[in-house]
Amino acid sequence: MFSTPDNYNWYTVIVSLMSDGSCTLCRSLFLSYFKSTITTIERRYGLDSLSSGTISSLHEVLITPHTVTQSHLCAMILALPHFLSQPYTYDSVLHASKQDMCYLRANATGAEACGQEDSRKLVDTSKVWVLMATAQLLFGIGSVPIQPFGISYIDDFAAAGNSALYIAVLFAVSVFGPSFGYLLGSVVLQIYVDVDRARAGEALELTPTDPRWVGAWWMGLLITAGGLALTSVPYFFFPRALHVEKSFELEGDIIKEDPKKTEGSMLDFFKMFPKMFVRLLLSPIFMLLVLSQCCFSSVIAGLATFLNKFLERQYSASVAYSSLLIGALNLPSIAVGMVLGGLIMKRWRLSFRAIPRFSVVILTISVFCCVPLFFMGCPTQDVAGVYPKTSNAINGPHLSCSANCSCPSSTFNPVCGENNIEYISPCHAGCTNFTMEPKNPYRIYSSCRCIPGLATAKPGPCANTCPHYLLPVMLLISLAGLIASLAHNPIYMMVLRSVPPEEKSFAIGVQFLLLRLLTWLPAPALFGITIDSTCIWWKIACGKKQGCGYYDNNLLRNRYLGLQVGYKTLGIALLAFIGWKMHRTREYSLEKKPEGPL
């Protein structure tokens, strides 16, 4: 059926595109699903943002080729902490062992010894660190070679003029994977974490909007493990060697690949490696392009890892609903932008001189789309003894009115007083009693010494003042992402054509190496540090931090968005410098031209 070389090339391109695309989709689905559960894992195991950001990026550390079949095992290892840990417990007035009501005692200090429950939390935190770090490292070993070699192969076999479009489709597929991952997260995170072992009615007190709620984060990992196992099968049927006979032109210069050229030995490659690596590092255009990509990828890393948390803290969105918005609005818009960028490359055949100018204009517009976000946020809610600081606080959240209540420092069960002030727990509000309707988890706390008037409070945090901003903010973020992604494919094609054809696979590998070392490894941790710097009250267990309870919302918004805009501005400056440098050199097209009729 496929008798001619042209048909064979077309067939191999399609097969490679489907195989690489399906595996990339499942890989990105797994990674994005894991990132969508970061906030939930933080809450379950008491991690700060730096710790969770570091875990999410550890798969970038070991960047060495290995079989792709191990990826599904890594996903299963990530789920192990759930099965090895004790059932999730939370502060409650209904659990006899976790009472957090005010019990008046003379000369109480509020200090207590490290209990068994708090000690268990620290042990579980250590377990999750070891297991998840190991799984992420192993996943990085197995998945890195897939996309770089697939891109190079498709670019080698694609017909003239179609390479940019095919690669744009591949990247778009890799974006739809995260979209499915976030949608999967929005479903399973509405299920209680211990659904597989909880007693009937145990979780009735909690709802997905409760700050103590923990969803079934482990369930999606088992699902993605199955997908990774299935998509690894086609790689066993690829041929040992691929023979390509092609030539292509770069604006008058014809670079021909020698059909008699044989694959060198591994020893020859290692001998050439230092020279090739240094030559790439000393190539100004290649390095500037990769550094600009690092800047824009850092923005994506910050959004992928912590956008869920940003929406939850700023606009009181549940983790499940924010995952739904990201998967349904933000990521599809980026995929559409990538495909449109490929179509632009195919239709207008942008040159080295045009691409930087085009990218600078597009990315500048996306930055301006982000400016209104700085003004579309909610102020920090009033939390007694935490924010704003008041004179009646004697030791953080321990108020003078609840000084004799012996409130544990590790308790976290927010309540909202009728004075619209939030308290860390009924104990911190001085509440000594509560009423509860039969078969209804809704409670009213009464006789609260710290609340004037009727002295009552209701469970949960006080209502957010600007939830109406949530959808407009998501639309703005999605619009900015769509516009910015228009430049993704042109910049990437510029990277491919900035090196000799015989070094293209090696250059892509170096590019991915630099992206991981300079972006995907440090960026989540840097965003985590930035977010942690805005925390105004930490949950404590045995004297150690166990996650942030409250953030300064204005600082969180300005620093989180400001870091993204800073990365974008630096990337735009690098592209502008490339454009200036290209203005002084010979202009040539990035598209491959055919030798004969199509």
Side-chain angles (χ1 to χ4, degrees), residues 380-437:
T380 308
Q381 66 267 39
D382 290 339
V383 183
V386 176
Y387 184 89
K389 294 295 183 181
T390 56
S391 58
N392 64 338
I394 61 173
N395 183 18
H398 295 279
L399 309 178
S400 56
C401 53
S402 60
N404 294 330
C405 290
S406 299
C407 302
S409 61
S410 60
T411 190
F412 183 69
N413 181 11
V415 297
C416 185
E418 63 173 324
N419 55 352
N420 204 34
I421 294 178
E422 189 169 323
Y423 299 83
I424 291 176
S425 73
C427 182
H428 289 85
C431 302
T432 59
N433 195 14
F434 72 92
T435 58
M436 180 175 178
E437 297 181 7

Side-chain angles (χ1 to χ4, degrees), residues 172-196:
V173 168
S174 69
V175 173
F176 276 113
S179 180
F180 297 149
Y182 276 96
L183 292 176
L184 176 62
S186 71
V187 174
V188 300
L189 292 180
Q190 296 184 69
I191 304 172
Y192 184 63
V193 61
D194 288 325
V195 66
D196 57 326

Side-chain angles (χ1 to χ4, degrees), residues 62-211:
L62 297 180
I63 312 175
T64 52
H66 206 271
T67 58
V68 297
T69 54
Q70 69 176 23
S71 297
H72 69 285
L73 298 177
C74 305
M76 296 176 68
I77 293 174
L78 279 174
L80 278 180
H82 168 74
F83 300 100
L84 297 180
S85 302
Q86 296 296 319
Y88 171 61
T89 59
Y90 49 88
D91 297 310
S92 169
V93 297
L94 302 181
H95 296 172
S97 61
K98 299 294 292 181
Q99 288 280 349
D100 58 354
M101 297 294 291
C102 176
Y103 298 101
L104 296 176
R105 299 175 185 175
N107 301 321
T109 62
E112 78 285 344
C114 180
Q116 181 180 359
E117 199 67 43
D118 290 341
S119 298
R120 183 182 63 78
K121 288 180 181 179
L122 296 180
V123 172
D124 286 348
T125 300
S126 300
K127 287 180 182 178
V128 76
W129 250 106
V130 173
L131 286 173
M132 289 191 170
T134 301
Q136 287 286 74
L137 290 172
L138 290 175
F139 185 81
I141 296 175
S143 61
V144 169
I146 299 171
Q147 198 174 55
F149 295 147
I151 291 171
S152 179
Y153 177 64
I154 291 171
D155 189 55
D156 287 337
F157 272 85
N162 290 335
S163 177
L165 180 59
Y166 287 155
I167 293 177
V169 171
L170 179 61
F171 276 112
V173 168
S174 69
V175 173
F176 276 113
S179 180
F180 297 149
Y182 276 96
L183 292 176
L184 176 62
S186 71
V187 174
V188 300
L189 292 180
Q190 296 184 69
I191 304 172
Y192 184 63
V193 61
D194 288 325
V195 66
D196 57 326
R197 54 191 179 187
R199 293 185 297 272
E202 183 174 335
L204 283 180
E205 183 183 351
L206 302 183
T207 64
T209 58
D210 194 296

Side-chain angles (χ1 to χ4, degrees), residues 12-22 154 166-167 169-170:
T12 54
V13 169
I14 297 301
V15 171
S16 177
L17 185 63
M18 292 177 62
S19 300
D20 198 50
S22 61
I154 291 171
Y166 287 155
I167 293 177
V169 171
L170 179 61

Side-chain angles (χ1 to χ4, degrees), residues 32-92:
S32 63
Y33 170 79
F34 183 64
K35 291 181 184 299
S36 75
T37 62
I38 283 295
T39 302
T40 300
I41 294 173
E42 281 185 14
R43 186 174 298 164
R44 173 65 179 88
Y45 295 103
L47 300 175
D48 56 22
S49 296
L50 172 59
S51 299
S52 60
T54 301
I55 289 177
S56 72
S57 64
L58 278 178
H59 68 279
E60 308 291 352
V61 173
L62 297 180
I63 312 175
T64 52
H66 206 271
T67 58
V68 297
T69 54
Q70 69 176 23
S71 297
H72 69 285
L73 298 177
C74 305
M76 296 176 68
I77 293 174
L78 279 174
L80 278 180
H82 168 74
F83 300 100
L84 297 180
S85 302
Q86 296 296 319
Y88 171 61
T89 59
Y90 49 88
D91 297 310
S92 169

Side-chain angles (χ1 to χ4, degrees), residues 348-396:
W348 283 284
R349 307 169 76 90
L350 299 179
S351 65
F352 255 32
R353 177 179 295 179
I355 286 179
R357 294 178 178 177
F358 169 79
S359 300
V360 167
V361 171
I362 288 297
L363 292 166
T364 301
I365 294 174
S366 73
V367 169
F368 280 115
C369 289
C370 296
V371 172
L373 298 176
F374 287 91
F375 307 97
M376 300 173 66
C378 301
T380 308
Q381 66 267 39
D382 290 339
V383 183
V386 176
Y387 184 89
K389 294 295 183 181
T390 56
S391 58
N392 64 338
I394 61 173
N395 183 18

